[in-house]
Amino acid sequence: MADMTWTIAPEPYDSPAAAALWRAYYTEVSDRWYLLHEGRRTDPAELEREIAAHPGDDLAPPGGQLLLGRYSGAPAGSAGVRLLDADTAELTRVFVLPERRGRGGAPLLVAAAEEAARALGARRIVLDTRGDLVEARALYTRLGYTETGPHNTDPYAEHWFRKELVPARAVN
């Protein structure tokens, strides 16, 4: 049997693999919102406009980082961080393809994003999510994030989380 493992590494936000995962992520969260609130899927033209409007260039160095998770070598998930200020990074685009969920990828992606935030100089990490993304809220709580007040005015944000980043321990 082939080795079924996760590897996580930085990836340019505009690589073909990152673009495909961004499309899958945005399609899923947009469709979930429209199905819940309007009983329909996202209009294809709107989907294309929104994907184009948010290319992810804020997830590039020096102020950000996109991480790509590969499962057995194939792109399967992502997580990004971007600095909001000198001490605060924002976690975004945490996503695992549906067929790869339940295999431990999301906690690994979040841990790698936290390490990337530390490398950017952040002392804390924040994120927002929606009420209908119950799996995401459960994940963040399980990983030590606490719900806080709003840190942004995103019209789709309904829950905000925060975690203090403990400095990485030095190895002797």
Side-chain angles (χ1 to χ4, degrees):
M1 182 172 180
D3 186 25
M4 301 293 201
T5 60
W6 285 96
T7 57
I8 299 171
E11 182 84 12
Y13 73 91
D14 56 354
S15 75
L21 286 166
W22 171 229
R23 177 173 293 282
Y25 167 87
Y26 197 84
T27 300
E28 181 175 325
V29 298
S30 182
D31 280 353
R32 281 178 72 160
W33 191 90
Y34 277 111
L35 286 168
L36 179 65
H37 296 283
E38 297 184 13
R40 65 174 179 87
R41 294 195 180 280
T42 310
D43 175 83
E46 178 183 1
L47 183 68
E48 294 306 318
R49 280 192 307 273
E50 290 301 312
I51 288 172
H54 303 286
D57 52 349
D58 55 345
L59 302 177
Q65 183 73 71
L66 180 68
L67 300 157
L68 196 92
R70 287 182 166 77
Y71 187 77
S72 296
S78 65
V81 292
R82 60 180 161 234
L83 285 176
L84 298 180
D85 61 44
D87 293 325
T88 309
E90 182 176 36
L91 178 63
T92 187
R93 293 195 189 189
V94 177
F95 176 72
V96 174
L97 291 171
E99 63 271 21
R100 296 293 178 243
R101 291 180 186 157
R103 296 183 175 141
L108 293 173
L109 283 160
V110 172
E114 290 171 359
E115 189 55 40
R118 280 186 200 91
L120 291 169
R123 296 174 31 182
R124 75 190 59 81
I125 192 164
V126 297
L127 65 94
D128 67 73
T129 191
R130 297 192 325 236
D132 62 307
L133 300 176
V134 294
E135 307 91 339
R137 292 187 0 248
L139 170 71
Y140 300 132
T141 299
R142 191 170 64 248
L143 296 178
Y145 287 77
T146 56
E147 196 154 357
T148 66
H151 66 267
N152 63 22
T153 58
D154 184 314
Y156 296 104
E158 297 171 315
H159 297 270
W160 295 264
F161 289 83
R162 173 184 174 133
K163 183 177 185 180
E164 296 301 315
L165 296 174
V166 177
R169 291 185 355 185
V171 177
N172 292 333

